[in-house]
């Protein structure tokens, strides 16, 4: 057996057990994993400057000629350094390397190198300490870009670069492309091996752009194929046909009339559930459009037919909320309903589990609402009929997959409040049937939205005070500092590389969330300010949220973790700091946190600084927020402006449920919509000719590898 992508990385020279353990920390076990560890950025070494032009704030690339013999200076305790001078037309520079005496023979007088590093300038004298040096010749061009990887302790950048090269080399023999040649030609795509080589070691800007394009297409293409194949498999399983569905008893309990859109959604659900094929339906609709009652209708249909219904939500708060809304309704109709969350006492949990698993229809628990506690050991349904997941994109991918897998014969209803543009919905949910609730219940208030800059700070604080004096509560959302990738000024992020290799706009400095919470607490010493961020334990988060929900905390500062989920109708002011940093859809979700009760509500979008550092496009984006309230219109605008990245990230978890475990590694830059559509189209066309990919074994294997599919999921 030769070396394959599945070979452990220890087949590489110099990678032993210890290095392998370090790699494992980054999720890298095999050669294939290593190749998929794409660079996070590139050093721009092709932008040659003179000593005089060297940037003061970062590294520069220079072509210098060695002028003096390299001299080794010995220090005490076995330390030494090597130094020499090198020059270009604008001046001369001292170059120093520490503890690398062996370099001495390399730098002979007159030899020319491309040096890359920081040029220090003291009193008109230049120096560089341990720059990267590559021998330069006038004929052979040096590659302009150098990959920068996400790192972990114990592995140096040099080591990764070397190991990646070795892995590419070893696998080069196995270079047959998994994609049909006709497709590569039609879409002008480079081969996979070219793409993988050039994403890691780009020979030029053009090569990098071509590589990225191929790999993004590949992700989309495999995604479409994988989703379709998995889905087909599910469809072959039988589900309980729920023929006796009558939702009028539910409607009688409601203090309102259903909207037309809600009625249509329930009709589709009922029609699906009558069949013995599992329903796979996604219910999409803006925050507050009334999806819960549609889910309740579906649950009622299941229990009317002697089956059990499950509602799984991402947080305990949300679970409790649904339970307190729905339990009385089901109880009034004579159906049993329980709440199963982490905090449920052990004895109660045992009772619920026993009752769910009971084969006696009279003793059997009919409805359970809960969190991922529903996935814990021993939760078995004796008559599963319907699984509903709410706020789907906040679920851990594995969790939802697990519930669906365990109950593969149940009907499935997924609910999402993330508006997704039509073109993307077709791709992302192509294998699900979509019901869209595009009509709000009557009498909804609009959240007045303002865009301001830092100069409004004092007035803003006054406004906060006024809202709280009136009995309301305030959310403040800041971009998460820790979620930001550190980028050195000379580096170019992978996501900034479009087809033309041009760069995207620079970002203004961020408002650090923690510091800001402290600042606010100082401004409002008599109020309670709490802080919430993504790295907190979920119990801590829930505790803070609970305190906000019950009014003990008046101002909640957070990162975007509050984006989806809880309902605090008393909150009436949403302030978003550095709003220019957020996507439109994200801003829309945030705005949806207020205006949920009777209070007149406001959303204030604060631009960083005095607003001058905010780009024109960002300002236009905020203007869209100020004037538009329709989540779908906003989503279309977002797609047009920022590309599909945010949607893919949000939908990713959902796609994983369908497909086993794909993360989009590259597909997040601006111009990928067309590529996404092309890839989807191509995948459909291919499947219409070869439904199981039986005639494309290599491609099937590629899709399976890309998805890390469990054996047998695709047959
Ligand atoms: P979401 O779609 O965001 O989950 P919910 O189902 O929580 O929305 O509904 C939001 C609020 O609207 C709830 O208080 C619900 O009782 C109410 N509601 C739902 N449908 C209607 C309707 N047709 N008319 C009036 N109020 C409604
Ligand atoms: Mg909801």
């Amino acid at each position: 057996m030769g070396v394959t992508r599945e070979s452990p990385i220890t087949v590489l020279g110099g990678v032993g057990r210890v290095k392998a353990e370090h790699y494992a920390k980054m999720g890298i076990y095999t050669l294939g994993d290593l190749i998929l560890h794409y660079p996070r950025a590139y050093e721009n070494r092709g932008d040659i400057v003179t000593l005089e032009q060297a940037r003061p704030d970062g590294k520069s690339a220079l072509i210098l000629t060695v002028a003096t013999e390299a001299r080794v200076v010995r220090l005490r305790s076995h330390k030494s350094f090597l130094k020499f001078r090198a020059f270009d037309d604008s001046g001369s520079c001292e170059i120093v390397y520490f503890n690398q005496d062996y370099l001495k023979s390399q730098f002979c007088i007159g030899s020319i190198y491309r040096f890359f590093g920081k040029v220090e300038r003291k009193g008109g004298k230049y120096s560089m300490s341990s720059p990267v040096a590559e021998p330069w010749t006038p004929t052979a061009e040096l590659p302009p870009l150098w990959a920068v990887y996400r790192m972990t302790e114990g592995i140096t950048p040099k080591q990764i670069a070397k190991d990646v090269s070795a892995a590419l080399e070893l696998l080069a023999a196995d270079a047959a492309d998994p994609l049909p040649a006709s497709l590569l030609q039609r879409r002008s795509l480079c081969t996979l091996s070219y793409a993988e080589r050039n994403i890691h070691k780009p020979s030029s800007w053009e090569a990098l752009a071509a590589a990225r394009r191929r790999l993004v297409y590949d992700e989309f293409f495999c995604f479409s194929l994988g989703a379709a194949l998995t889905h087909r498999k599910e469809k072959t399983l039988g589900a309980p046909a729920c023929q006796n569905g009558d939702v009028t008893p539910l409607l009688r309990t409601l203090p309102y009339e259903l909207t037309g859109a809600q009625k249509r959604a329930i009709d589709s659900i009922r029609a699906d559930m009558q069949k013995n094929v599992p329903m796979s339906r996604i219910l999409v609709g803006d925050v507050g459009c009334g999806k819960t009652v549609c889910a309740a209708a579906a649950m009622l249909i299941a229990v009317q037919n002697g089956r059990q219904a499950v509602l799984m939500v991402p947080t305990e708060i949300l679970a409790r909320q649904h339970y307190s809304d729905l339990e009385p309704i089901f109880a009034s109709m004579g159906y049993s309903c329980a709440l199963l969350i982490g905090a449920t006492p052990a004895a109660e949990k045992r009772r619920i589990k026993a009752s769910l698993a009971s084969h006696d229809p009279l003793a059997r628990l009919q409805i359970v609402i809960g969190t991922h506690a529903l996935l814990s050991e021993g939760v078995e349904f004796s008559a599963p009929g319907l699984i509903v997941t709410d706020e789907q994109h906040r679920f851990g991918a594995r969790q939802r997959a697990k519930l669906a897998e365990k109950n593969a014969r149940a009907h499935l209803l997924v609910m999402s409040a993330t508006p997704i543009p039509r073109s993307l919905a077709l791709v992302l949910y192509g294998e699900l049937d979509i019901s869209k609730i595009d009509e709000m219940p009557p009498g909804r208030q609009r959240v007045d939205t303002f865009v301001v800059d830092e100069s409004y700070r004092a007035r803003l604080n006054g406004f906060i005070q006024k809202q709280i004096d009136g009995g309301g509560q305030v959310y403040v959302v800041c971009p998460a500092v820790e979620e930001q990738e550190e980028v050195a000024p000379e580096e170019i992020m992978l996501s900034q590389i479009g087809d033309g290799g041009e760069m995207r706009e620079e970002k203004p400095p961020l408002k650090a969330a923690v510091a800001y919470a402290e600042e606010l607490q100082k401004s409002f010493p008599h109020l309670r300010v709490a802080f919430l961020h993504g790295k907190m334990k979920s119990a801590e988060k829930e505790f803070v949220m609970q305190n906000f929900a019950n009014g003990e905390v008046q101002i909640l500062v957070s990162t975007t973790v509050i984006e989806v989920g809880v309902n605090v109708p008393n909150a009436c002011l949403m302030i978003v700091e550095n709003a220019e940093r957020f996507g439109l859809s994200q801003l829309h979700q945030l705005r949806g946190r207020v205006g949920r009760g009777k209070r007149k509500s406001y959303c204030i979008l604060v631009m960083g600084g005095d607003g001058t550092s905010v780009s024109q496009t960002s300002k236009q984006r905020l203007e869209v927020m100020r004037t538009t309230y329709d989540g779908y219109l906003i989503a279309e605008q977002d797609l047009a402006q920022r590309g599909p990245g945010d949607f893919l990230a949000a939908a990713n978890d959902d796609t994983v449920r369908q497909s086993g475990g794909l993360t989009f590694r590259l597909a997040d830059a601006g111009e990928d919509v067309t590529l996404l559509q092309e890839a989807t189209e191509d995948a459909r066309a291919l499947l219409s000719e070869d439904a199981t990919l039986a005639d494309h074994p290599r491609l099937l294997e590629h899709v399976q590898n890309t998805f890390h599919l469990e054996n047998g999921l695709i047959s």
Side-chain angles (χ1 to χ4, degrees):
M1 266 297 283
V3 174
T4 69
R5 283 176 177 259
E6 279 68 54
S7 305
I9 48 168
T10 46
V11 302
L12 297 172
V15 180
R17 197 178 53 83
V18 177
K19 288 246 160 60
E21 270 167 26
H22 290 309
Y23 271 122
K25 271 187 262 151
M26 293 193 286
I28 298 171
Y29 303 92
T30 64
L31 295 185
D33 295 337
L34 186 60
I35 287 181
L36 287 176
H37 188 68
Y38 297 140
R40 69 167 174 82
Y42 298 86
E43 284 174 355
N44 188 359
R45 296 190 186 172
D47 194 7
I48 304 293
V49 296
T50 63
L51 283 165
E52 221 168 51
Q53 297 164 330
R55 59 192 312 157
D57 59 342
K59 298 178 181 176
S60 306
L62 308 105
I63 300 213
L64 304 178
T65 308
V66 177
T68 64
E69 197 182 331
R71 211 156 54 80
V72 174
V73 180
R74 300 216 176 276
L75 305 168
R76 264 184 282 161
S77 62
H78 305 293
K79 294 206 163 81
S80 67
F81 63 86
L82 174 93
K83 76 177 185 183
F84 58 91
R85 299 194 72 79
F87 65 94
D88 66 11
D89 290 346
S90 74
S92 102
C93 174
E94 181 172 78
I95 296 180
V96 180
Y97 290 93
F98 291 92
N99 301 320
Q100 295 175 73
D101 299 358
Y102 58 90
L103 293 177
K104 182 173 158 50
S105 58
Q106 182 185 323
F107 296 109
C108 39
I109 297 176
S111 59
I112 306 175
Y113 284 87
R114 179 171 77 179
F115 290 98
F116 183 75
K118 188 163 162 68
V119 176
E120 303 283 352
R121 202 174 316 207
K122 269 199 206 107
K125 288 188 174 153
Y126 300 112
S127 67
M128 289 180 94
S129 171
S130 302
V132 177
E134 298 163 279
W136 184 88
T137 53
T139 46
E141 230 174 276
L142 290 168
L145 296 158
W146 192 260
V148 182
Y149 294 95
R150 273 181 200 85
M151 302 303 307
T152 182
E153 217 182 308
I155 295 184
T156 62
K158 240 185 177 156
Q159 172 93 35
I160 284 212
K162 177 174 155 279
D163 292 342
V164 167
S165 299
L168 287 168
E169 193 99 343
L170 278 177
L171 294 173
D174 182 37
D177 205 292
L179 262 53
S182 56
L183 211 56
L184 299 189
Q185 203 173 13
R186 180 146 51 92
R187 299 296 186 196
S188 313
L189 295 166
C190 66
T191 64
L192 186 60
S193 58
Y194 178 91
E196 288 182 335
R197 209 165 51 240
N198 278 284
I199 203 81
H200 288 289
K201 306 174 82 59
S203 57
S204 67
W205 282 98
E206 291 72 29
L208 177 58
R212 187 185 169 282
R213 185 165 173 275
R214 158 67 200 249
L215 295 173
V216 170
Y217 177 93
D218 211 285
E219 287 184 343
F220 290 145
F221 187 64
C222 288
F223 165 75
S224 287
L225 290 175
L229 291 168
T230 312
H231 190 67
R232 198 150 294 164
K233 177 93 182 175
E234 274 173 12
K235 283 248 153 147
T236 61
L237 296 168
C242 297
Q243 258 136 13
N244 313 308
D246 175 14
V247 298
T248 41
L250 170 68
L251 304 188
R252 261 189 247 120
T253 69
L254 301 176
Y256 51 77
E257 282 280 309
L258 291 184
T259 62
Q262 283 171 317
K263 284 184 195 152
R264 284 192 294 279
I266 293 173
D267 285 344
S268 312
I269 289 169
R270 191 187 5 235
D272 282 359
M273 289 179 70
Q274 278 173 354
K275 298 183 196 140
N276 62 0
V277 180
M279 164 168 78
S280 305
R281 184 167 289 276
I282 183 163
L283 188 56
V284 296
D286 221 338
V287 169
C289 71
K291 292 182 291 294
T292 316
V293 69
C294 302
M299 292 159 84
L300 176 62
I301 292 171
V303 293
Q304 282 170 336
N305 286 274
R307 313 299 299 192
Q308 292 165 304
V310 191
L311 171 57
M312 188 164 87
V313 300
T315 66
E316 296 205 345
I317 298 173
L318 206 52
R320 285 181 207 272
Q321 204 169 288
H322 278 322
Y323 180 74
S324 66
D325 289 346
L326 297 178
E327 194 276 339
I329 296 179
F330 286 118
S332 75
M333 294 185 284
Y335 299 109
S336 56
C337 177
L339 175 69
L340 184 65
I341 56 180
T344 308
E348 171 79 356
K349 270 186 193 157
R350 272 198 300 279
R351 197 187 61 73
I352 293 174
K353 285 181 194 173
S355 168
L356 281 174
S358 170
H359 286 279
D360 173 2
L362 294 175
R364 183 191 289 153
L365 180 59
Q366 289 161 305
I367 295 163
V368 63
I369 296 173
T371 56
H372 51 270
L374 289 166
L375 303 172
S376 51
E377 199 69 28
V379 179
E380 300 291 340
F381 302 91
S382 56
L386 172 74
I387 293 170
V388 186
T389 56
D390 193 10
E391 308 293 6
Q392 46 80 28
H393 73 278
R394 278 294 154 124
F395 268 110
R398 277 211 209 96
Q399 298 174 342
R400 216 162 350 85
K402 217 165 138 187
L403 189 65
E405 229 167 75
K406 239 166 111 172
N407 301 285
R409 288 164 188 278
H411 295 289
L412 181 72
L413 181 65
V414 178
M415 298 198 284
S416 171
T418 312
I420 291 193
R422 226 186 100 71
S423 55
L424 279 189
L426 282 176
V427 175
L428 293 172
Y429 303 133
E431 309 309 317
L432 296 174
D433 299 309
I434 306 179
S435 285
K436 180 172 165 184
I437 302 189
D438 51 4
E439 191 182 346
M440 281 289 176
R444 279 292 141 86
Q445 63 154 305
R446 135 181 311 209
V447 178
D448 284 346
T449 303
F450 303 92
V451 180
V452 303
D453 61 39
E454 221 31 75
S455 65
Y456 282 74
R457 186 62 63 190
R459 282 167 67 184
L460 189 56
N461 283 353
F463 193 63
I464 293 176
Q465 186 66 58
K466 191 173 150 207
Q467 296 307 314
I468 293 172
D469 288 345
Q473 286 168 282
V474 180
Y475 289 108
V476 181
V477 174
C478 305
V481 181
E482 68 272 15
E483 283 161 25
Q484 261 254 309
E485 196 85 63
E486 285 266 352
V487 192
E490 69 276 6
E491 288 175 7
I492 296 153
M493 298 293 285
L494 184 51
S495 56
Q496 292 171 325
I497 294 162
D499 271 348
E502 78 281 15
M503 315 243 300
R504 299 248 212 111
E505 64 179 285
E506 296 265 333
K507 310 260 159 75
L510 301 180
K511 190 110 207 164
V514 188
Y516 187 51
E518 283 165 6
E519 208 177 288
L520 265 176
Q521 183 67 77
K522 278 196 203 118
S523 310
F524 300 98
H526 51 292
L527 297 178
R528 267 193 76 187
V529 179
F531 180 65
L532 202 64
H533 63 84
K535 297 254 163 80
M536 280 158 76
K537 298 214 174 69
S538 71
E540 284 177 275
K541 276 193 246 178
E542 302 236 339
F543 179 74
V544 173
M545 269 323 301
Q546 205 77 59
N547 280 333
F548 187 64
N550 65 25
E552 270 171 49
V553 166
Q554 291 88 33
I555 303 179
L556 182 64
V557 182
S558 81
T559 56
T560 51
V561 286
I562 57 149
E563 195 185 313
V564 163
V566 283
N567 185 19
V568 181
N570 195 47
C572 60
L573 174 57
M574 165 62 69
I575 296 172
V576 185
E577 296 287 344
N578 290 101
E580 72 279 359
R581 287 293 318 267
F582 292 87
L584 280 173
S585 298
Q586 221 175 359
L587 289 174
H588 178 68
Q589 288 290 326
L590 290 171
R591 182 165 63 184
R593 296 301 95 201
V594 296
R596 312 189 121 221
K598 295 202 176 63
R599 288 182 187 281
K600 171 73 200 142
S601 297
Y602 305 89
C603 174
I604 301 184
L605 305 173
V606 188
M607 293 186 284
D610 58 1
T612 48
S613 60
V614 175
S615 73
Q616 214 45 44
T617 351
S618 297
K619 282 187 178 150
Q620 275 164 14
R621 207 158 61 218
L622 298 181
E623 185 59 16
V624 170
M625 283 306 294
R626 202 178 65 74
T627 52
T628 313
Y629 291 84
D630 177 328
Y632 285 86
L633 271 179
I634 289 174
E636 298 288 351
Q637 292 272 352
D638 209 11
L639 178 65
Q641 288 191 10
R642 306 222 315 177
D646 292 347
F647 299 103
L648 293 179
N652 209 8
D653 269 1
D654 193 58
T655 57
V656 167
R657 186 197 57 74
Q658 300 173 52
S659 55
L662 177 80
T663 41
F664 292 100
R665 288 162 200 273
L666 287 172
D668 64 352
E671 304 79 25
D672 297 334
V673 189
T674 322
L675 215 47
L676 176 61
Q677 279 161 349
E678 287 174 357
T680 312
E681 223 173 84
D682 295 343
R684 296 222 168 107
L686 183 65
L687 286 171
S688 71
E689 286 165 19
D690 181 11
T692 59
L693 295 188
D695 300 337
H696 296 82
R698 231 196 115 76
L699 178 58
L700 179 60
E701 191 190 329
H702 183 55
V703 174
Q704 279 166 329
N705 287 341
T706 313
F707 276 92
H708 297 291
L709 284 177
E710 309 257 319
N711 283 340
L713 245 179
I714 291 182
S715 61

